[in-house]
Amino acid sequence: MPELNNLFSEIELGGMVLKNRIVMPPMLTGFAAEDGSVTDRMLAYYRERARGGAALITVESTNIEVPSGDHYLRQLSIGDDHFCEGLASLAGAIQEGGAKASIQVGHQGRYCAPFITGTGPLSPSREDPLDYWPESQEMGEDDIHRVTCELAAAAGRARDAGFDAVELHGAHGYLLCQFLSHLTNRREDRYGGDVVSRAAFPVEVVEAVRAEVGEGFPIVLRLSADEFAPGGITVEDTVVTAGMAEDAGVDCLHISAGSHQSKKPMSIAPMAFPRGCLVHLASRVKQAVNVPVMAVGRINDAILADSIMGEGKADLIAMGRALIADPELPAKAERGEEGTIRPCIACNTCIDESVMRAQPLVCAVNARVGVEEEREIKRAGTPRSVAVLGGGPAGMEAARVAALRGHRVTLHEKGPELGGQLLLASKPPFKEEIANLTRYLESEMSRLGVGVELRSTLDEDEVLGAEQDAVVVATGALP
Ligand SMILES: Cc1cc2nc3c(=O)[nH]c(=O)nc-3n(C[C@H](O)[C@H](O)[C@H](O)COP(=O)(O)O)c2cc1C
């Protein structure tokens, strides 16, 4: 196991000292209450991620005006002072877990959900109706001023609630990004035109936020460096924007990619895309600015993360889905226990099956997501003998948890190898990542002392009459 000295070294960000270079980027959970306030479920989710060893946890995208800035059902809100008490407990939970706490503020512009907000969306230029979004209205200077003030006020609330930093959402096709892109900004006033004019609103927001939070409170700006859309934002545009943002007072640039105009799903790259597929963009921006630059995008292993910094391509590494899959990734990597990290396979169940369907977050490889307290794995009072039938992912997970609880576990698999449906699922080109889940679960079986019986079936009499105290049937999944 390499030393990972790059990853596990301190860095200072606008006066905030981070214990290592691993950052959890903002990711919507749908765990907020209907009114946008913090819930116990949300506290438990973020607390567990902070305890896992990441240096900085960025709380998901919040709305800044109630309700017209809303984007998702049960979106966390920072749009009024009365949310501060709950937000303070959220910052506290993260800090008690050992991480610094940041929170993302932004405005979704054209993609504010009218069925939640009850008002038509705003955007840099008028847009025709699209899918379930009605026509959007071009923002007047008064709208621009109001949203700027609301973003600044939201950042001030983040500071007052005890957060250590704030992240401005300038990426992924939302309002600030809509201003930065020619595809969505066709204005002819001082906010539209060349790249400098298109950056004027985001830069004014940075200045307003800095004025509100004062010096010594770090501001991270997230940008989509490349929109991956003909005529859209290019990395050379972003170099200009990044320089302006640096002059305006940001302390870190978080370099993502993609928008709703993109031809490829770059913002949350699926498993078919190579690991670290956006690092070249962070690297290009890093050459042009002096503040630390954060890379993101399919960086789901610590060795890759360390090498990105070793090659001087970024100063910080955001790991999103990887920390949903295994919040303990940083701590395990630091202890040299890479093999015990539950891998994110970039299946995008998290985004496609939950967030995009307005459901609370779930993860295909981590059944504890969102139920961290209820499903805490505790040692059983009386160890028992457990037989698990079926060596697919469900059976191996059942065996893993039973073994962690201290039971004596035997896993029976009819076939010659473990993996069940994952074996076939990982065979097509671009699906190889799935095999990492099989490898992880299989290695957990040996690490935890689960007895594995291959080519083994138990009939009804054997199940009922045998010596085991409990039988888990984990067979029959369909492809
Ligand atoms: C479930 C989910 C929700 C997300 N929500 C946000 C969000 O609120 N704000 C944001 O800027 N990006 C959001 N993202 C994008 C992530 O911050 C991150 O950029 C992306 O997942 C790629 O990083 P990864 O490959 O390490 O997961 C979300 C991603 C996922 C998977």
Side-chain angles (χ1 to χ4, degrees), residues 396 417-419 437-447 452:
M396 285 194 278
E417 58 184 320
L418 293 175
L437 178 59
T438 321
R439 267 193 289 277
Y440 155 76
L441 287 166
E442 211 173 343
S443 77
E444 285 290 273
M445 297 303 94
S446 55
R447 184 177 76 86
V452 174

Side-chain angles (χ1 to χ4, degrees), residues 24-29 59-62 72 75 104 108 167 169-172 174 222 254 256-257 266-269 278 296-300 318-324 344 346 348-352 354-355 361-362:
M24 182 162 120
M27 290 179 290
L28 292 159
T29 60
V59 169
E60 64 206 81
S61 176
T62 51
Y72 286 102
Q75 185 174 4
Q104 189 181 55
Q108 278 66 31
E167 177 170 298
H169 199 348
H172 302 166
Y174 297 112
R222 189 168 224 205
H254 184 173
S256 185
M266 299 311 293
S267 307
I268 309 177
L278 306 179
V296 69
R298 290 269 285 125
I299 309 173
N300 60 356
M319 292 183 166
R321 290 163 293 176
L323 294 182
I324 298 178
C344 166
N348 278 0
T349 296
C350 51
I351 189 78
D352 294 338
S354 42
V355 175
L361 183 67
V362 292

Side-chain angles (χ1 to χ4, degrees), residues 224-228 233-236 238-239 255-258 264 266 269 273-288 293-297 299 304 308 311-314 317:
S224 279
D226 188 330
E227 221 177 341
F228 290 91
I233 301 167
T234 65
V235 70
E236 293 311 320
T238 301
V239 163
I255 300 303
S256 185
K264 299 178 190 172
M266 299 311 293
F273 288 54
R275 291 184 180 183
C277 53
L278 306 179
V279 171
H280 64 289
L281 300 171
S283 175
R284 176 69 191 92
V285 173
K286 185 168 160 51
Q287 287 161 18
V293 170
M294 195 184 318
V296 69
I299 309 173
L304 171 63
I308 291 166
E311 291 162 16
K313 293 178 175 164
I317 301 292

Side-chain angles (χ1 to χ4, degrees), residues 77-99:
S77 185
I78 194 165
D80 190 272
D81 289 344
H82 79 267
F83 291 113
C84 282
E85 194 180 331
L87 292 168
S89 44
L90 186 52
I94 292 169
Q95 289 151 349
E96 279 160 32

Side-chain angles (χ1 to χ4, degrees), residues 20-32:
N20 61 48
R21 307 301 181 95
I22 303 176
V23 177
M24 182 162 120
M27 290 179 290
L28 292 159
T29 60
F31 295 158

Side-chain angles (χ1 to χ4, degrees), residues 203 206-207 240-250 291:
V203 166
V206 172
E207 287 166 351
V240 175
T241 308
M244 291 169 68
E246 182 177 20
D247 292 343
V250 300
V291 292

